[in-house]
């Protein structure tokens, strides 16, 4: 549905997209050109939550609609800061476009592929996203629309020189997190993701070039942090969700040399979507043991014959010590007298509070307060002084051991002897 609005006597066409989270998302012509590009359209074919749909059947949503939602919330946040005198119209447009492109570099199965990249190449979807913005048709579209692709590439991944603009897109008050919590909660049916994002957005301010929050919205911030923590425990790190994901990661790692999944060629990279890769994996010729196992894991994933979790331990304080995964796998296999290939060690880690755009752990939040007719005052509140958030601050580290059903008892006994009490 195309309509027109008046902006200083100039008619500006826009499109409105119906969305279950935000009702309507407004898209402008220069944004629509990016959205309509094949590189961006591929995000429709990359699930937001990888294997979570095998536990939460409704979790079929994609990186595509999340990117639109992030742009929408970032645009609302930019408008609030524009009204308060911190941004102009060009800044708002840049923030919207950077938010739209923040996930452009995701590979098949979203964050799962990140784990494969880390094992093989030590790079991330942000590195690939920046490359796509600079070297693909995405950059050409940005340039033709009169924007700076280098600046947008930096802003999209938290590297621009304007810290508070970076924080609108990624960090503890980010549009990215507000959208994914609401969207993931809606599509999984999980009741944990309750975020009063409008209250947070309208309470945003800037202090010392950093994003700050009106003190009156502190409760909404607390609720959002607790929602995120609960979503990690109940959805993102759910033991059966991770079972499916461990199988996919292992399958992709084993098949990488055959299928060149971690290619540096961006033309090949953008062809890879969830269904494209799973079809390649289940069609592998078992020319050697690695490819046979890669194919078997992919077929069992597709048929939902998932690995069983036989050991789980959650670490908050103190954090999990360094674990040599290969040595632990060998030790459990030896004690249980099964092939080490049937023992799967999964270590899941996340900061309880989102990292800042600099990728450092957030230690505080800047609060703004105003009394009467006096000037606004801002101060830094340590996370340790926000009781509920402090209680979950730090990291959530989870160590799990998985195996196939037929080896369940043997591996469970061995893991308990070696690792100590099973705290499932």
């Amino acid at each position: 549905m195309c309509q027109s609005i008046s902006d200083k006597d100039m008619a500006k066409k826009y499109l409105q997209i119906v969305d279950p989270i935000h009702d309507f998302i407004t898209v402008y012509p220069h944004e629509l050109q990016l959205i309509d590009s094949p590189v961006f359209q591929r995000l429709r074919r990359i699930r937001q939550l990888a294997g979570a749909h095998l536990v939460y059947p409704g979790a079929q949503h994609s990186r595509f609609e999340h990117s639109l939602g992030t742009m929408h919330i970032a645009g609302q946040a930019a408008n609030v800061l524009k009204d308060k005198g911190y941004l102009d119209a060009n800044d708002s447009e840049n923030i919207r476009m950077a938010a739209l492109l923040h996930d452009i570099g995701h590979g098949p199965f979203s964050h799962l592929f990140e784990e494969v990249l880390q094992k093989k190449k030590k790079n991330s979807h942000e590195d690939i996203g920046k490359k796509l913005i600079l070297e693909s048709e995405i950059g050409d579209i940005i340039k033709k629309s009169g924007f700076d692709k280098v600046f947008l590439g930096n802003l999209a991944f938290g590297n621009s020189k304007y810290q508070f603009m970076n924080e609108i897109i990624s960090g503890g008050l980010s549009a990215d997190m507000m959208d994914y919590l609401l969207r993931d909660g809606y599509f999984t049916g999980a009741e944990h993701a309750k975020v009063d994002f409008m209250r947070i957005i309208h309470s945003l301010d800037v202090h010392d070039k950093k994003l700050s929050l009106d003190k009156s919205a502190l409760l909404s911030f607390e609720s959002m942090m607790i929602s995120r923590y609960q979503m990690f425990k109940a959805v993102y790190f759910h033991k059966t969700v991770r079972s499916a994901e461990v199988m996919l990661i292992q399958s992709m790692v084993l098949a990488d040399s055959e299928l060149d999944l971690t290619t540096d060629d961006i033309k090949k990279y953008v062809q890879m979507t969830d269904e494209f890769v799973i079809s390649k994996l289940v069609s592998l010729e078992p020319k050697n043991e690695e490819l046979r196992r890669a194919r078997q894991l992919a077929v069992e994933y597709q048929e939902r014959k998932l690995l069983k979790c036989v050991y789980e331990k959650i670490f908050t304080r103190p954090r999990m010590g360094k674990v040599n995964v290969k040595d632990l796998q060998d030790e459990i296999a030896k004690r249980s007298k099964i092939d080490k290939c049937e023992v799967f060690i999964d270590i899941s880690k996340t900061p309880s509070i989102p990292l800042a755009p600099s990728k450092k752990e957030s230690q505080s939040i800047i609060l703004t307060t105003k009394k009467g007719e006096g000037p606004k005052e801002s101060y830094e509140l340590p996370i340790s002084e926000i009781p509920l958030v402090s209680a979950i601050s730090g990291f959530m580290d989870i160590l799990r051991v998985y195996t196939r059903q037929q080896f369940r008892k043997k591996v469970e006994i061995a893991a308990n002897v070696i690792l100590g009490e099973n705290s499932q």
Side-chain angles (χ1 to χ4, degrees), residues 325-368:
V325 171
K326 187 178 181 305
D327 287 351
L328 180 57
Q329 182 187 30
D330 288 346
E331 196 177 350
I332 291 173
K334 188 177 178 183
R335 182 169 281 273
S336 56
K337 296 180 180 174
I338 65 168
D339 191 315
K340 67 179 181 180
C341 296
E342 299 296 348
V343 177
F344 299 81
I345 311 294
D346 180 44
I347 296 175
S348 306
K349 295 185 176 185
T350 188
S352 299
I353 309 299
L355 297 178
S358 63
K359 307 305 179 193
K360 291 180 180 174
E361 192 177 348
S362 301
Q363 301 287 347
S364 60
I365 181 170
I366 300 171
L367 295 180
T368 303

Side-chain angles (χ1 to χ4, degrees), residues 195-315:
V195 180
D196 187 359
F197 79 96
M198 290 304 293
R199 177 65 188 273
I200 293 170
I201 284 170
H202 286 286
S203 301
L204 292 176
D205 214 303
V206 176
H207 171 71
D208 196 21
K209 298 180 182 177
K210 297 176 185 174
L211 206 56
S212 65
L213 186 70
D214 192 283
K215 186 181 177 183
S216 63
L218 183 57
L219 182 61
S220 297
F221 172 76
E222 285 186 51
S223 297
M224 181 167 69
M225 292 300 102
I226 292 163
S227 290
R228 179 184 178 276
Y229 181 79
Q230 290 177 320
M231 284 293 284
F232 267 94
K233 288 187 80 171
V235 177
Y236 309 138
F237 286 173
H238 185 292
K239 66 181 180 182
T240 311
V241 170
R242 280 302 295 175
S243 169
E245 294 178 348
V246 164
M247 293 170 76
L248 265 183
I249 292 165
Q250 187 66 12
S251 179
M252 287 190 281
V253 167
L254 289 168
D256 185 42
S257 55
E258 178 75 9
L259 300 179
D260 196 20
L261 299 176
T262 56
T263 178
D264 291 320
D265 184 335
I266 58 171
K267 287 184 180 176
K268 289 181 181 176
Y269 184 85
V270 296
Q271 292 175 358
M272 291 192 291
T273 59
D274 292 8
E275 292 308 318
F276 177 89
V277 171
I278 199 74
S279 68
K280 292 283 186 187
L281 291 172
V282 299
S283 304
L284 282 166
E285 246 186 85
K287 293 184 282 189
N288 56 45
E289 182 58 20
E290 283 197 344
L291 294 179
R292 185 197 68 76
R293 282 167 47 218
R295 182 181 181 279
Q296 181 185 10
L297 285 164
V299 168
E300 288 173 349
Y301 166 86
Q302 200 173 44
E303 295 175 355
R304 205 186 180 281
K305 293 175 182 172
L306 304 181
L307 299 172
K308 301 300 178 183
C309 180
V310 297
Y311 182 91
E312 175 185 78
K313 194 159 189 176
I314 299 174
F315 300 78

Side-chain angles (χ1 to χ4, degrees), residues 128-142:
I128 295 164
K130 200 165 185 180
K131 194 173 180 181
L132 285 170
I133 289 171
L134 295 176
E135 299 177 20
S136 78
E137 64 186 291
I138 295 291
D140 298 336
I141 295 166
I142 290 168

Side-chain angles (χ1 to χ4, degrees), residues 75 162 176 218 315 411:
Y162 303 103
D176 175 34
L218 183 57
F315 300 78
V411 177

Side-chain angles (χ1 to χ4, degrees), residues 63-120:
R63 288 278 152 187
F64 179 86
E65 53 262 41
H66 165 61
S67 297
L68 296 179
T70 302
M71 177 187 73
H72 175 76
I73 294 179
Q76 290 180 312
N79 286 337
V80 167
L81 295 178
K82 185 172 72 172
D83 291 343
K84 293 179 181 180
Y86 297 109
L87 297 171
D88 61 26
N90 287 337
D91 295 326
S92 295
E93 288 184 321
N94 275 310
I95 286 168
R96 280 178 59 92
M97 288 179 75
L100 180 68
L101 296 173
H102 82 286
D103 272 349
I104 194 70
H106 263 299
F109 310 108
S110 295
H111 286 290
L112 284 200
F113 197 69
E114 195 95 340
E115 295 184 52
V116 178
L117 285 173
Q118 286 296 309
K119 286 175 189 285
K120 293 283 188 172

Side-chain angles (χ1 to χ4, degrees), residues 31 149 198:
E31 296 161 349
K149 66 181 181 180
M198 290 304 293

